[in-house]
Amino acid sequence: MPEHGDYDAASRRWYCSYWQTSEEWQDVHDYDPSHPSREIDETVKGNNRNQQE
């Protein structure tokens, strides 16, 4: 079962009780869903910072 905020790249939808478009997510949550590539970018940046320390 998907968890809240999971992203499906094939349908380009986020999960919150059902698979929602970014517009539906915005209407329900009052903020844009995180974009998977941004999360990956931030994770990579965080890992790079940790390795440099």
Side-chain angles (χ1 to χ4, degrees):
M1 174 135 189
E3 293 186 24
H4 186 261
D6 283 353
Y7 178 73
D8 179 60
S11 66
R12 297 172 59 188
R13 293 175 184 256
W14 289 261
Y15 188 79
C16 176
S17 301
Y18 66 95
W19 291 100
Q20 302 177 345
T21 65
S22 61
E23 292 83 11
E24 290 173 305
W25 184 279
Q26 173 71 33
D27 288 344
V28 171
H29 297 88
D30 292 326
Y31 66 90
D32 288 330
S34 61
H35 192 278
S37 64
R38 276 190 257 155
E39 288 181 11
I40 292 167
D41 289 345
E42 290 302 315
T43 301
V44 169
K45 287 177 188 174
N47 288 340
N48 287 342
R49 272 181 281 201
N50 291 338
Q51 290 173 357
Q52 291 173 358
E53 294 176 354

